[in-house]
Amino acid sequence: MLLVTSMQKMWISFGSMGSLFLAMLFMFFVKTKFKNKILKAIFGLVAYILLFIGFITMVYIIFNPTKA
């Protein structure tokens, strides 16, 4: 298991929250603003990928111990 410092965990969690926020914004634009089906598909796929990355990194942050 890869051990990281508390400061590294903080920056990873900020990146995770940023990816979750971007996923939310992309889904908002897909649902409300875009009319083109190709753009909807591309941005929807990117949003789901960002959502998955954000979820996995949050799970990593919660369940991974830090260096002493």
Side-chain angles (χ1 to χ4, degrees), residues 1-67:
M1 187 180 298
L2 180 65
L3 294 176
V4 295
T5 64
S6 296
M7 189 63 80
Q8 289 170 332
K9 281 181 79 167
M10 179 193 72
W11 287 111
I12 293 170
S13 70
F14 284 159
S16 177
M17 287 185 283
S19 70
L20 292 171
F21 182 74
L22 281 176
M24 181 187 67
L25 281 180
F26 284 171
M27 270 302 161
F28 170 74
F29 284 120
V30 164
K31 299 280 185 187
T32 60
K33 304 292 182 188
F34 291 146
K35 302 293 182 200
N36 188 347
K37 290 189 184 231
I38 295 172
L39 279 179
K40 277 183 156 186
I42 291 170
F43 277 89
L45 181 66
V46 170
Y48 279 113
I49 290 170
L50 284 171
L51 187 67
F52 181 73
I53 290 170
F55 172 74
I56 294 298
T57 53
M58 274 298 175
V59 168
Y60 173 77
I61 290 300
I62 292 169
F63 293 112
N64 193 23
T66 58
K67 289 181 182 177

